[in-house]
Amino acid sequence: MDFTPTEEQSAAQELAARIFGDLSTHERLAAAGTGTDAELWKALCAAGLVGAVEDIGVLGLVLLLEEQGRTTAQVPFAATCVYGLLAVAAHGTDEQRARLLPALRGGTAVATGAFPANGVGVRATAPGRLSGAIPFVPWLRDATHVLVPDADLTLWLVRTADTQVSEVETTAPWAAGRLVLSGTPGERLGGPGAYESVLALGRTAFAGLQAGVCAGSLARAVQYTSTREQFGRPLSTNQGVLLRAADAYMDTEAIRVTAYEAAWRQDEGLDAAAEVLTAAWWASEAGKRVVHAGQHLHGGTGADLDHPVHRHFLWGRQLDAYLGCGAELLAELGWLLAKEEPE
């Protein structure tokens, strides 16, 4: 394994870090509420970072999402790349790619996905027609297209304008909505295995996003405990603070390295099923610990809902359960390993 970024991946990551750092400020995040920061999204698309994901691979996407997570930037970057750009590029027909990819690259189209499909009651009621309801879809209120798996795990791309969308509030401010389909037209995307491929990509991408969220939370905690004094010395000199921060650092690195491994194997065309589930499990279980530690290390300040660290807490908790909580992922991984064991 070699996780060393290519020159193109490093350049894209540096550009993303600069744009997120300049535009994703606490004041702008507060002003955005639960919706997309339109100016930031426009800047990312104008810089070519959305379209670049097709060239820099899954590992490159993970690196970009790390930078987003550090600032909890309020844009549907992961959703559009996973459920739109890369899903269409990998599983779409030539006609679908020619029609949809330019708009997704340029930001005039925004995609999201009704993933995972566990318990989702969507069915194809007629050729190209879908019915059912999905209680929670992230970024749905800002999306132009939504990728929907039916009961048979067939993927359908649906125009949001053809559906019924109602606002839903979630832990993280992800412009979520309830999706209702009633004989809604949809176009099929891909064939057998497309759902599993997109789900694996999503789990890897959102693990990378969680690594950034955790890194940002920990950086804020380190800065706070290094400058906040108690009894005449910085809080960071207390052994309990040091140990808590060290544990959070190790958890963050575990999320990062497992996400990198899963992404690298997908880029290399290797079987990555176990590695994807491992990365998702670390993102869920360790991510939850890190954002709790980040808030705890801020003491009473961490209880302030308007403090920037609280946003990391909300994102970390949302990512903990999105695409499968720790127990579900561990059970899925166990079944996978059991199937691979020789009789």
Side-chain angles (χ1 to χ4, degrees), residues 209-240:
L209 184 61
Q210 182 74 299
V213 169
C214 291
S217 175
L218 183 57
R220 292 188 181 278
V222 169
Q223 193 276 335
Y224 177 81
T225 56
S226 298
T227 56
R228 172 70 170 173
E229 291 191 357
Q230 190 176 57
F231 305 117
R233 62 178 185 174
L235 289 172
S236 59
T237 60
N238 294 318
Q239 187 178 44

Side-chain angles (χ1 to χ4, degrees), residues 20 23-35 37 40 68 70-75 173 220 308 311-312 315:
F20 286 130
L23 296 182
S24 187
T25 63
H26 178 58
E27 293 73 22
R28 290 176 62 87
L29 288 169
T34 62
D37 184 332
L40 174 56
Q68 180 187 2
R70 291 180 197 276
T71 60
T72 59
Q74 199 68 13
V75 287
R220 292 188 181 278
R311 184 176 292 270
H312 290 269
W315 278 60

Side-chain angles (χ1 to χ4, degrees), residues 43-284:
L44 291 168
C45 294
L49 285 174
V50 177
V53 170
E54 293 176 88
D55 299 320
I56 60 178
V58 184
L59 181 57
L61 173 60
V62 166
L63 294 172
L64 298 186
L65 291 176
E66 267 195 85
E67 299 305 327
Q68 180 187 2
R70 291 180 197 276
T71 60
T72 59
Q74 199 68 13
V75 287
F77 195 10
T80 293
C81 290
V82 170
Y83 304 123
L85 193 72
L86 296 180
V88 172
H91 305 289
T93 64
D94 291 341
E95 187 278 331
Q96 287 174 322
R97 288 195 289 268
R99 172 167 47 89
L100 296 168
L101 290 181
L104 290 165
R105 295 182 190 118
T108 55
V110 174
T112 188
F115 277 65
N118 297 340
V120 174
V122 174
R123 63 192 185 282
T125 54
R129 297 281 174 170
L130 303 172
S131 294
I134 300 97
F136 153 71
V137 180
W139 301 108
L140 182 63
R141 303 201 309 269
D142 292 337
T144 58
H145 295 78
V146 55
L147 192 61
V148 180
D150 65 15
D152 297 321
L153 301 185
T154 300
L155 292 183
W156 301 87
L157 196 61
V158 177
R159 292 196 317 146
T160 311
D162 297 331
T163 70
Q164 299 175 43
V165 176
S166 56
E167 183 174 341
V168 172
E169 294 298 335
T170 56
T171 301
W174 285 0
R178 183 174 187 267
L179 181 69
V180 177
L181 307 170
S182 182
T184 304
E187 54 180 312
R188 185 166 177 172
L189 188 71
Y195 168 79
E196 290 79 8
S197 173
V198 174
L199 178 59
L201 175 61
R203 283 171 166 168
T204 305
F206 283 97
L209 184 61
Q210 182 74 299
V213 169
C214 291
S217 175
L218 183 57
R220 292 188 181 278
V222 169
Q223 193 276 335
Y224 177 81
T225 56
S226 298
T227 56
R228 172 70 170 173
E229 291 191 357
Q230 190 176 57
F231 305 117
R233 62 178 185 174
L235 289 172
S236 59
T237 60
N238 294 318
Q239 187 178 44
V241 172
L242 289 171
L243 292 174
R244 191 78 190 276
D247 285 342
Y249 173 78
M250 294 302 295
D251 274 337
T252 301
E253 288 301 295
I255 299 170
R256 177 182 288 116
V257 74
T258 52
Y260 284 6
E261 181 179 10
W264 178 83
R265 291 186 68 88
Q266 289 174 80
D267 284 337
E268 294 296 314
L270 302 173
D271 178 32
E275 288 76 13
V276 166
L277 288 168
T278 301
W281 182 83
W282 274 104
S284 174

